[in-house]
């Protein structure tokens, strides 16, 4: 039986769709200050972050972040070169040991300083795929086509996802406030520009706490009742792109049933439809009330933000069983599912 | 209370300047298969994979765990990627051990690598963000002033670094995987090589290597079925401190002291020099042996160089350091820390071959990274903790 661990605080930047002239750590620093103030904690049993050097175009993005978080006296700390949702997973595992009670998790990324879809090409198999120059949106379009052919979904169904997400984003002070989808021009067919998550700069932080410590730090902690992540093969030709087996298995392992609110790290409209199916989310589950990645997608923080947004629905009492999801790699290659509950645990 | 974690399989590749015969996936698979063979397991016995390497710019592949998923048998399983600069090999092993200690999995494959021949690591380390100016070239350019400060502070004579360079290379001659094997290595040979970054000479630096190192970590139940004696984790620790901070002592960083104190506490060690049988310590420039002897509490301040000079750290000394030849002899950067951790495990399993320290029962694995600001350590033993 896992030790009860909860999300007790969540903070994020007002995300930006354009370069505001700030370095990555300047974007991050206020979020760290805010979450320390809100929890009254200056130190944590463990700290873990997610970032990516390729967004900055220089090695060691996480090193300067340590200067920003005030790692003195020296802290117990680690870093994943992945979305910070996986940093949260590492911190959750650390909390299972039982020798610490709190953990700070943060992620940050400034996608605006490069050409994101070209940068993401460098994530592909360097011997076979990357030399072809396939960009992220083109790969996503292949997946969208595969999904539409299998399911019978139409471009209007994709547009409906974009419309709902953008409208929801207007109610979220941290998201970009994008206009309703319009126009018939494709980005890469069948995807139109509004089917693709916007390039976004931003950062986020979460504090995890175990047992009684969680109850001290939060009136209504969002208890992690299940968390799991899975990968699939990288090569697009060896998996069924129209489905997400890894999301399905992670969802089953995390116990994703009876979900009232799900925050999905869907970076393209069709990904939301694939994920809804893989996770068995029906009509009665509210998906991405924050607007989701289609309203703000700060790389390396966007997955963590999904967990934070889901937890926030528990914190404010508007839901009691929620789900946060994160993905990594091309075409939803890797998926993480975190199920949270407001019911008292431990 | 954490569950026990055992190391039941270790696999290494030969470390070489260029492994043109394999792709990155092939290189990793070589190490992983050897670790699985050591544990007499197959890919399907593995519950999760934890990978580590240093910056992605080293090979020019962003988040390479995505393209390596198939080669590492990770399809359908959890895989995650750790990156804590030069300490990453050690941190990766600690994150993997955490999955066992936290009761999440029973058998975890952990693997770290670098294939430096597919890029130029010195330049990858020199590029800075557009917001700051880099005044150094490569890691040697960064660490040389700290070494000079140590020499001034401790009164160490100039030849200490040379002694370490010779000693580690002599040990490497006994290690079948080691990269630099220099028959007849001598002080004169080291001293005749060019000065790269005063006071660091060419043969006082680590090489650039291609290579990978893997381990299979197991829960207590899973370890019972292991064919060879396991190494048991007696303690793990990670510490980080800011790079730019006025109060920082870059010669003997507080993070290293704190991590050492933490890992000794967990292992019940009060006198590391006496209670440990050997240590694999991250020494990429020869002068870091005396510096870390002090930082890790093997002796008092300014005494480290005396231990080195007296031969205490030699293979036949009272506290052998880097019996494998260390980072000075093999340096696939992202793997270098995991090699230290794995070699410590081999020693307490009695499987270190020609460079075995007789009767080793407790050993330290150590890694550091960034601007000497990231530390990862573990202590392993032949007895259950």
């Amino acid at each position: 039986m896992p030790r009860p661990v909860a999300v007790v605080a969540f903070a994020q930047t007002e995300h930006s769709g354009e370069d505001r002239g700030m370095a990555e750590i300047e974007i991050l620093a206020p979020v760290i200050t805010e979450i320390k103030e809100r929890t009254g904690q200056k130190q944590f049993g463990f700290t873990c972050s997610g970032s990516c050097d390729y967004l900055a175009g220089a090695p060691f993005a996480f090193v300067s972040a340590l200067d920003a978080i005030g790692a003195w006296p020296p802290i117990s700390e680690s870093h994943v070169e992945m979305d910070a949702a996986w940093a949260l997973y590492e911190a959750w595992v650390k909390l299972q040991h039982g020798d610490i009670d709190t953990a700070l998790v943060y992620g940050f990324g400034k996608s605006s300083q490069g050409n994101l879809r070209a940068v993401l090409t460098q994530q592909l198999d360097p011997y076979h795929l990357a030399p072809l120059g396939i960009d992220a949106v083109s790969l996503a379009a292949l997946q969208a086509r595969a999904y539409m052919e299998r399911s019978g979904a139409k471009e209007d169904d994709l547009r409906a996802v974009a419309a709902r997400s953008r409208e929801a984003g207007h109610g979220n002070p941290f998201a970009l406030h994008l206009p309703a989808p319009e126009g018939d021009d494709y980005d890469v067919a069948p995807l139109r520009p509004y089917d693709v998550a916007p390039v976004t700069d931003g950062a986020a932080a979460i504090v995890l706490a175990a047992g009684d410590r969680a109850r001290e730090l939060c009136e209504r902690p969002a208890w992690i009742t299940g968390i799991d992540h899975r990968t699939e093969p990288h090569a697009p030709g060896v998996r069924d792109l129209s489905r997400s087996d890894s999301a399905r298995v992670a969802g089953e392992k995390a116990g994703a049933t009876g979900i009232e609110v799900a925050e999905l790290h869907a970076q393209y409209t069709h990904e939301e439809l694939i994920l809804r199916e893989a996770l068995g989310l029906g009509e009665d589950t509210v998906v991405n009330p924050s607007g989701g990645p289609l309203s703000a997608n700060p790389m390396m923080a966007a997955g963590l933000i999904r967990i934070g947004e889901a937890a926030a629905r528990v914190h404010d009492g508007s839901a009691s069983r929620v789900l946060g999801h994160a993905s990594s790699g091309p075409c939803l290659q890797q998926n993480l599912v975190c199920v949270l509950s407001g019911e008292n645990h431990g | 209370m954490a569950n026990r974690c055992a190391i039941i399989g270790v696999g290494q590749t030969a470390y070489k300047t260029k492994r043109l015969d394999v792709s990155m996936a092939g290189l990793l698979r070589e190490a992983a298969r050897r670790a699985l063979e050591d544990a007499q397991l197959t890919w399907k016995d593995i519950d999760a994979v934890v990978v580590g390497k240093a910056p992605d710019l080293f090979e020019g592949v962003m988040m390479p765990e995505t393209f390596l998923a198939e080669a590492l048998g990770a399809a359908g399983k959890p895989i995650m990627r750790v990156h804590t600069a030069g300490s990453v090999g050690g941190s990766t092993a600690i994150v993997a051990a955490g999955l066992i200690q936290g009761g999440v999995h029973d058998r975890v494959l952990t693997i770290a690598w670098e294939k430096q021949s597919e890029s130029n690591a010195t330049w990858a380390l020199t590029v800075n963000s557009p917001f700051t100016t880099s005044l150094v070239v490569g890691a040697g350019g960064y660490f040389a002033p700290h070494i000079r400060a140590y020499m001034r502070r401790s009164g160490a004579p100039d030849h200490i670094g040379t002694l370490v360079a010779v000693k580690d290379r002599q040990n490497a001659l006994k290690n079948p995987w080691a990269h630099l094997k220099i028959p007849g290595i001598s002080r004169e040979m080291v001293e005749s090589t060019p000065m790269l970054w005063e006071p660091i000479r060419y043969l006082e630096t680590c090489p650039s290597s291609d290579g990978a190192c893997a381990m299979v970590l197991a829960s207590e139940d899973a370890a019972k079925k292991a064919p060879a004696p396991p190494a048991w984790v007696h303690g793990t620790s990670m510490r980080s401190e800011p790079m730019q901070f006025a109060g920082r002592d870059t010669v003997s960083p507080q993070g290293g002291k704190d991590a050492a104190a933490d890992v000794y506490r967990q292992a019940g060690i009060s006198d590391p020099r006496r209670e440990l049988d050997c240590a694999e310590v991250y020494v990429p420039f020869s002068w870091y042996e005396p510096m870390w002897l002090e930082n890790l509490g093997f002796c008092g301040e300014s005494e480290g160089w005396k231990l080195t000079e007296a031969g205490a750290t030699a293979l036949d000394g009272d506290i052998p350091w880097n019996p494998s030849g260390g980072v000075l002899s093999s340096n696939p950067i992202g793997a270098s820390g995991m090699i230290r951790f794995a070699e410590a495990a081999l020693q307490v399993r009695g499987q270190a071959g020609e460079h075995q320290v007789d009767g080793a029962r407790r050993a330290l694995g150590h890694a550091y990274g960034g601007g000497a600001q990231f530390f990862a350590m573990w202590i392993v033993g032949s007895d259950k903790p």
Side-chain angles (χ1 to χ4, degrees):
Chain A
M1 186 63 189
R3 186 181 185 210
V5 169
V7 173
V8 296
F10 166 54
Q12 60 184 320
T13 49
E14 284 177 25
H15 310 305
S16 170
E18 56 195 29
D19 187 352
R20 285 175 174 164
M22 290 190 290
E24 280 183 335
I25 55 166
E26 291 176 287
I27 296 170
L28 170 67
V31 175
I32 299 296
T33 303
E34 182 187 338
I35 206 150
K36 283 181 175 176
E37 282 172 1
R38 282 192 12 214
T39 54
Q41 300 287 298
K42 289 198 173 112
Q43 295 190 315
F44 303 88
F46 182 62
T47 299
C48 199
S49 63
S51 68
C52 178
D53 287 348
Y54 258 81
L55 296 180
F60 304 132
F62 60 94
V63 175
S64 45
L66 266 188
D67 292 6
I69 66 166
W72 192 263
I75 58 172
S76 174
E77 188 262 356
S78 185
H79 171 257
V80 295
E81 191 85 355
M82 303 179 77
D83 187 287
W86 275 265
L88 180 138
Y89 181 80
E90 186 180 324
W92 176 82
V93 171
K94 193 91 173 170
L95 282 158
Q96 294 304 312
H97 295 202
D99 52 356
I100 55 162
D101 291 331
T102 58
L104 170 66
V105 182
Y106 62 90
F108 58 96
K110 191 181 173 195
S111 310
S112 71
Q113 58 197 336
N115 179 337
L116 182 62
R117 60 176 70 181
V119 168
L120 287 171
T121 301
Q122 300 309 310
Q123 191 183 44
L124 304 175
D125 179 322
Y127 306 107
H128 303 292
L129 276 177
L132 299 175
I134 311 171
D135 67 276
V137 181
S138 299
L139 273 169
L142 281 176
Q143 184 173 41
R145 186 71 77 194
Y147 171 74
M148 291 162 76
E149 282 180 6
R150 176 177 66 77
S151 68
K154 304 290 179 223
E155 289 175 19
D156 278 350
D157 298 314
L158 304 189
R159 182 191 291 252
V161 171
R164 195 208 71 238
S165 298
R166 288 182 168 209
E167 194 183 330
H170 286 270
N172 177 357
F174 304 100
L176 311 184
H177 297 150
L178 302 169
E182 58 178 23
D184 291 326
D185 291 340
Y186 288 112
D187 185 331
V188 181
L191 300 176
R192 294 192 166 84
Y194 53 73
D195 291 313
V196 179
V199 165
T200 313
D201 299 346
I206 275 178
V207 171
L208 296 179
D212 289 341
R213 199 82 188 91
R215 281 179 280 269
E216 285 166 28
L217 291 172
C218 182
E219 200 170 313
R220 190 171 141 87
W223 299 96
I224 296 173
T225 62
I227 184 166
D228 194 89
H229 64 98
R230 301 280 151 170
T231 191
E232 288 174 65
H234 178 71
V238 299
R239 54 183 162 124
D240 180 353
L241 287 181
S242 77
R243 292 183 163 86
S244 179
D245 263 351
S246 54
R248 178 182 59 76
V249 175
E252 285 169 9
K253 298 280 180 188
T257 55
I259 301 299
E260 298 159 54
V261 176
E263 282 281 344
L264 304 180
H265 189 191
Q267 300 180 76
Y268 303 90
T269 48
H270 69 276
E271 289 187 351
E272 178 181 308
L273 302 177
I274 291 174
L275 289 165
R276 277 177 182 262
E277 182 183 292
L279 296 170
L281 303 174
E283 295 288 313
D284 49 350
T285 302
V286 177
V287 172
N288 288 348
S290 68
L294 292 169
S295 287
N297 185 41
M299 294 290 292
M300 317 320 287
L304 184 73
I305 290 169
R306 305 281 69 77
I307 298 172
E309 287 283 3
R313 303 289 83 74
V314 172
H315 293 162
D316 68 15
S318 60
S320 59
R321 192 165 168 81
V322 300
L323 180 155
H325 158 270
S327 73
S328 183
C331 298
L332 295 170
Q333 186 191 342
Q334 281 181 279
N335 291 281
L336 180 148
V337 175
C338 180
V339 177
L340 303 134
S341 168
E343 282 168 33
N344 208 353
H345 284 260
Chain B
M1 193 54 207
N3 300 308
R4 289 192 177 104
C5 174
I7 299 103
I8 60 168
V10 173
Q12 300 184 61
T13 64
Y15 306 116
K16 291 184 187 311
T17 306
K18 292 184 183 191
R19 282 291 305 271
L20 297 176
D21 58 323
V22 284
S23 62
M24 272 180 263
L27 184 77
L28 269 84
R29 210 167 158 87
E30 205 173 285
R33 287 184 63 147
R34 286 181 180 140
L36 288 169
E37 278 165 23
D38 186 8
Q40 284 184 22
L41 297 174
T42 65
W43 295 99
K44 70 175 187 335
D45 298 315
I46 297 299
D47 303 321
V49 182
V50 183
V51 304
K53 67 175 290 307
D56 291 359
L57 269 72
F58 278 3
E59 287 87 1
V61 185
M62 174 183 176
M63 301 162 83
E65 74 280 0
T66 58
F67 97 89
L68 291 164
E70 288 103 309
L72 294 177
K77 296 175 187 174
I79 181 172
M80 56 191 292
R81 154 79 187 289
V82 180
H83 178 196
T84 64
S87 67
V88 64
S91 308
T92 305
I94 291 175
V95 172
L99 287 164
I100 306 286
Q101 293 171 319
V104 180
H105 295 301
D106 279 322
R107 291 186 195 86
V108 175
L109 173 70
T110 185
I111 184 159
W113 85 98
E114 212 71 69
K115 199 161 189 293
Q116 292 183 224
S117 66
E118 301 203 16
S119 75
N120 183 323
T122 291
W123 290 110
L125 283 170
T126 301
V127 176
N128 238 336
S129 77
F131 311 103
T132 52
T133 311
S134 172
L135 297 175
V136 300
V137 172
Y142 182 84
F143 289 118
H146 306 165
I147 292 172
R148 181 57 75 190
Y150 170 74
M151 294 168 75
R152 188 172 298 125
R153 190 192 291 189
S154 70
D158 289 355
H159 67 276
I160 300 299
T162 321
L163 299 178
V164 179
V166 173
K167 180 213 35 148
D168 282 6
R169 270 55 174 273
Q170 280 173 339
N171 292 348
L173 293 169
K174 298 175 189 294
N175 178 359
W177 307 119
H179 176 178
L180 286 189
K181 295 200 180 198
I182 310 174
I185 178 84
S186 65
R187 276 183 63 182
E188 295 69 32
M189 198 189 290
V190 176
E191 283 162 4
S192 70
T193 58
M195 191 66 82
L196 294 186
W197 304 276
E198 172 82 33
I200 306 171
R201 289 186 183 281
Y202 179 73
L203 270 184
E204 290 182 88
T205 70
C206 49
S208 278
S209 314
D210 285 359
C213 177
M215 287 187 280
V216 177
L217 306 183
S219 67
E220 193 167 358
D221 270 352
K224 281 182 189 148
K225 296 165 200 147
W232 295 94
V233 176
H234 288 211
T236 67
S237 189
M238 289 192 271
R239 287 292 184 281
S240 310
E241 64 185 53
M243 192 172 201
Q244 291 166 27
F245 169 55
R248 196 161 104 84
D249 180 356
T250 50
V251 173
S252 187
Q254 190 63 39
K257 290 181 189 175
D258 290 357
D262 185 22
V263 80
Y264 296 154
R265 178 188 55 77
Q266 292 171 46
I269 284 175
S270 53
D271 181 350
R273 182 175 171 190
R274 208 163 45 81
E275 295 172 66
L276 291 168
D277 299 308
C278 59
E280 285 279 346
V281 177
Y282 206 97
V283 177
F285 303 99
S286 60
W287 278 95
Y288 269 91
E289 177 175 297
M291 290 165 74
W292 291 150
L293 276 166
E294 295 170 26
N295 186 249
L296 294 170
F298 282 67
C299 60
E301 268 185 45
S302 304
E303 302 287 322
W305 63 268
K306 295 173 189 167
L307 250 61
T308 295
E309 191 173 45
T313 56
L315 199 47
D316 59 357
D318 74 87
I319 179 64
W321 268 36
N322 292 324
S324 70
V327 182
L328 280 173
S329 304
S330 311
N331 185 39
I333 296 177
S336 292
M338 189 172 286
I339 299 168
R340 308 279 72 70
F341 279 45
E343 284 285 348
L346 287 177
Q347 288 287 349
V348 301
R349 295 171 80 203
Q351 292 188 335
E354 272 192 70
H355 62 280
Q356 176 71 44
V357 173
D358 278 344
R361 301 189 66 79
R362 268 201 296 191
L364 170 72
H366 163 278
Y368 86 99
Q373 62 186 128
F374 299 102
F375 296 88
M377 300 175 200
W378 79 6
I379 287 173
V380 288
S382 46
D383 296 327
K384 272 187 203 175

